[in-house]
């Protein structure tokens, strides 16, 4: 493919649409995401290929497949577009008080004490901003961030890397065993399944459930269970009623205030393990906004979870901690 004799300047719109098409593999999906007509997107792609003088896609294949040169080009422009978006966000955002729109997602682990106070604080610090707050599971929030449906999310870190997203480590939240206060038998007997108390677990589609199951397999425990639930409050209610025991984290335990008088926390027997929470953002999220949310979220976690729980369970001090 030969370049035109007098090519136009390289268009940022061409590069952005090329990136979307490469990710989606479909002109129609790229049209749905960009709001442009399929014919318009096709025209921009042809203009980019003519400008470069190379074929970036194999146009005879469906879904769309990058040529070898297209793959090289994509690798190089991903970083470039990320830097451009970040620069645009920093330049246009100005001060925090001038921000106009923010879509923020959080896991439900924070929705009792931390997120309501964070929302009030942000509304005061960013008076011109329209907010969208979303509460979802970690894997849903990460998918929404990747699809640019959110600007920022506070989630549990998955085992795989975030790839096109940026993350700031926030909290180390160790796994603990929670028993009914009236439970008979030793902790070891209960966890190993030698007691009659069943294991109440998180739903298997959740990141937290996969982390727990992986650790139990590593140490050779397969406790009998008769109850599976995606909601931590329900698990805590069941344990408080003497229906079983569970593995959760201090942050989640802190939410279950109404049940705590009927529960007992224990360090996980043997080698400890933990999940990590992170603030995850798209590349074009304003750094000043991220800094503001980071500082306030840390202060709220310390006030509402770390300080009160470590006071009643000092053995948590080394593992239950904010991350730098």
């Amino acid at each position: 493919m030969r370049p035109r004799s007098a090519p136009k300047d390289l268009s940022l719109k061409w590069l952005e649409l090329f990136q979307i098409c490469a990710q989606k593999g479909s002109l129609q999906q790229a049209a749905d995401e960009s709001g442009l007509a399929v014919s318009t997107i096709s025209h921009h792609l042809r203009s980019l290929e003519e400008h470069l003088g190379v074929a970036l896609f194999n146009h005879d294949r469906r879904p769309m497949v990058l040529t070898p040169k297209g793959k090289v080009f994509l690798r190089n422009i991903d970083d470039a577009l990320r830097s451009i978006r970040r620069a645009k966000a920093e330049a246009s955002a100005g001060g925090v008080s001038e921000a106009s729109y923010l879509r923020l997602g959080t896991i439900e682990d924070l929705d009792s004490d931390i997120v309501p106070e964070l929302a009030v604080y942000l509304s005061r610090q960013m008076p011109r901003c329209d907010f969208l707050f979303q509460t979802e599971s970690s894997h849903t929030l990460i998918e929404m961030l990747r699809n640019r449906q959110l600007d920022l999310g506070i989630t549990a870190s998955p085992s795989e890397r975030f790839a096109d997203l940026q993350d700031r480590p926030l909290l180390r939240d160790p796994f603990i065993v929670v028993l009914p206060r009236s439970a008979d038998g030793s902790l070891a007997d209960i966890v190993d399944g030698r007691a009659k108390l069943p294991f109440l677990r998180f739903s298997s589609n959740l990141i937290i459930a996969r982390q727990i199951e992986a650790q139990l397999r590593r140490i050779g425990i397969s406790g009998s269970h008769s109850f599976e639930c995606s909601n931590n409050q329900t698990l805590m209610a069941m344990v408080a009623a003497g229906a079983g025991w569970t593995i959760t984290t201090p942050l989640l335990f802190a939410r279950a205030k109404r049940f705590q008088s009927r529960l007992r926390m224990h360090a996980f027997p043997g080698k400890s393990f933990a999940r990590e929470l992170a603030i995850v953002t798209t590349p074009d999220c304003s750094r000043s906004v991220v800094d503001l949310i980071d500082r306030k979220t840390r202060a709220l976690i310390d006030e509402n979870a770390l300080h009160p729980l470590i006071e009643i369970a000092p053995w948590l001090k080394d593992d239950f901690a904010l991350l730098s």
Side-chain angles (χ1 to χ4, degrees), residues 291-322:
D291 288 342
L292 179 73
I293 293 173
D294 187 14
R295 287 194 300 271
K296 186 60 177 178
T297 303
R298 287 170 180 272
L300 290 171
I301 289 174
D302 185 61
E303 177 186 350
N304 291 284
L306 290 176
H307 182 72
L309 280 187
I310 291 172
E311 186 172 347
I312 63 173
W315 50 268
L316 285 170
K317 183 177 181 181
D318 292 336
D319 276 344
F320 188 33
L322 293 166

Side-chain angles (χ1 to χ4, degrees), residues 220-239:
I221 293 176
S222 57
S224 62
H225 68 283
S226 58
F227 188 83
E228 191 172 303
C229 180
S230 63
N231 185 278
N232 176 75
Q233 294 293 83
T234 302
L235 285 178
M236 293 297 99
M238 294 289 288
V239 175

Side-chain angles (χ1 to χ4, degrees), residues 114-125:
I114 294 163
V115 170
E117 291 194 42
L118 178 63
V120 171
Y121 174 78
L122 291 178
S123 68
R124 291 171 177 166
Q125 296 296 314

